[in-house]
Amino acid sequence: MKAIDRASLDQWYPIETEADIPYGRTTNRLLGTDLLVIRADDGTVTVLAEGQGLPLPLKRRYGYLWTTLGAPEKDIFAIAEADEPDRRYVPCGAVTVRASGLRIIENFLDMAHFPFVHTDILGSEPHTQVEEYNVEIRRDVDEVWATNCRFFQPQAALSATDGLMTRYIYRVMTPFTTLLYKTCPNSETRWDVICLFVQPLDPDRCRAHPVMYLLDDQSTTASLIQFQQLIFLQDRIILENQRPVLLPMEPRSEIPTRADASSIAYRRWLKEKGVTYGTSLQAA
């Protein structure tokens, strides 16, 4: 616990979808601490942390059970689209990745890898250029936003039938949670929403919880999950082979380009908060 910075400790984290918590006793993990999850016969859930006597605080949001090892000052962030009745709620399972949870978030923000990692799906050659976009740290809500993002995609979504210039808006709500709003093939006035909630297990290992809020009444749930898992498993191969495994925070440790504007803002935001868990600055 002593090696965990307060900014990382005082956050809400998802540990499982409510539907996937079995009755009885199961184990989980968060920030290097083993958890015991107990679901009673009446459905009541209790989470205990190793070395702590009292149960951890719990919240239920977006179909997930969230907990914390610290004392968050803010409630779990709001996602307005989650309350829209015509959207499909699609949780896509949990994927364990042998990499820093912060690396996962940064990869999510990166459009430049689309043609090379998600070839003929989210990108393709020769359409490799990342057009200039806007990035800001919104001080009123303490979030990182990237707007006016555009990228040509051969198949931007499962429901897309042709390639199109896809528009994106990226939003980072907490150090370990992010989402994107993207062009919806089925509506010219609304966005599809894809969220990524990361559960840091250890500094160099995490579980990623992708969930989508879509305007798609044709695709099957199984095919939607399969499509999103394909994208994420392609990312996992790259993420687990990145070196260093932890997110580098020293100046000039990696050479940024114009396409890395969101990454630069994200790392600056993390430094301002004093986040070190999962970074090269973490205390031994």
Side-chain angles (χ1 to χ4, degrees):
M1 284 296 221
K2 293 181 180 178
I4 303 176
D5 60 272
R6 293 306 312 184
S8 297
L9 197 63
D10 295 339
Q11 301 286 344
W12 291 102
Y13 294 98
I15 58 170
E16 202 67 78
T17 55
E18 287 191 77
D20 289 334
I21 299 175
Y23 288 91
R25 301 159 73 93
T26 54
T27 58
N28 211 305
R29 189 169 176 84
L30 178 63
L31 295 170
T33 299
D34 288 330
L35 306 180
L36 176 63
V37 182
I38 305 170
R39 188 164 202 160
D41 291 341
D42 63 359
T44 303
V45 178
T46 304
V47 178
L48 300 171
E50 181 182 27
Q52 297 188 23
L54 297 176
L56 297 179
L58 300 176
K59 286 183 179 287
R60 291 165 174 81
R61 197 73 50 88
Y62 311 127
Y64 290 83
L65 186 71
W66 300 68
T67 191
T68 181
L69 295 174
E73 295 182 358
K74 298 194 300 184
D75 197 357
I76 298 171
F77 47 85
I79 303 174
E81 291 78 10
D83 298 324
E84 295 176 353
D86 61 339
R87 286 188 180 270
R88 293 182 64 177
Y89 166 71
V90 187
C92 299
V95 180
T96 301
V97 184
R98 295 188 302 274
S100 165
L102 303 176
R103 279 286 202 193
I104 313 300
I105 299 296
E106 190 172 71
N107 177 79
F108 188 85
L109 302 174
D110 174 42
M111 292 180 287
H113 77 284
F114 288 170
F116 310 105
V117 179
H118 310 298
T119 307
D120 297 329
I121 303 175
L122 300 186
S124 64
E125 297 187 73
H127 307 283
T128 60
Q129 181 178 353
V130 177
E131 298 182 7
E132 189 170 353
Y133 57 94
N134 301 323
V135 185
E136 61 179 324
I137 300 174
R138 296 190 176 179
R139 302 295 179 181
D140 57 331
V141 291
D142 191 24
E143 296 180 351
V144 180
W145 284 68
T147 57
N148 297 323
C149 305
R150 289 162 49 88
F151 206 88
F152 178 81
Q153 299 189 325
Q155 188 180 7
L158 184 62
S159 58
T161 56
D162 298 301
L164 74 158
M165 183 61 75
T166 304
R167 293 177 296 138
Y168 280 92
I169 298 174
Y170 289 93
R171 175 188 173 198
V172 184
M173 298 82 70
T174 73
F176 291 91
T177 61
T178 185
L179 63 77
L180 65 82
Y181 306 95
K182 68 180 296 186
T183 299
C184 175
N186 303 314
S187 174
E188 295 182 356
T189 60
R190 300 169 70 189
W191 303 82
D192 278 337
V193 181
I194 300 176
C195 310
L196 185 63
F197 308 145
V198 176
Q199 172 190 354
L201 305 174
D202 296 291
D204 58 355
R205 194 169 62 97
C206 65
R207 293 175 82 212
H209 302 273
V211 59
M212 303 185 290
Y213 293 95
L214 305 177
L215 297 167
D216 180 348
D217 58 3
Q218 298 179 353
S219 304
T220 66
T221 298
S223 62
L224 289 169
I225 293 173
Q226 183 180 30
F227 181 81
Q228 189 60 30
Q229 287 187 342
L230 169 65
I231 299 299
F232 196 85
L233 291 175
Q234 289 174 335
D235 281 323
R236 185 171 72 172
I237 295 171
I238 303 302
L239 287 162
E240 293 193 336
N241 284 281
Q242 275 186 315
R243 295 295 181 269
V245 174
L246 303 182
L247 184 69
M249 298 292 278
E250 296 85 356
R252 295 184 295 278
S253 57
E254 293 180 338
I255 301 174
T257 67
R258 185 180 67 178
D260 299 321
S262 58
S263 171
I264 294 169
Y266 175 59
R267 293 190 189 193
R268 183 170 69 246
W269 184 65
L270 294 176
K271 286 182 179 179
E272 289 178 1
K273 291 179 169 299
V275 172
T276 60
Y277 195 85
T279 78
S280 58
L281 302 179
Q282 183 175 4

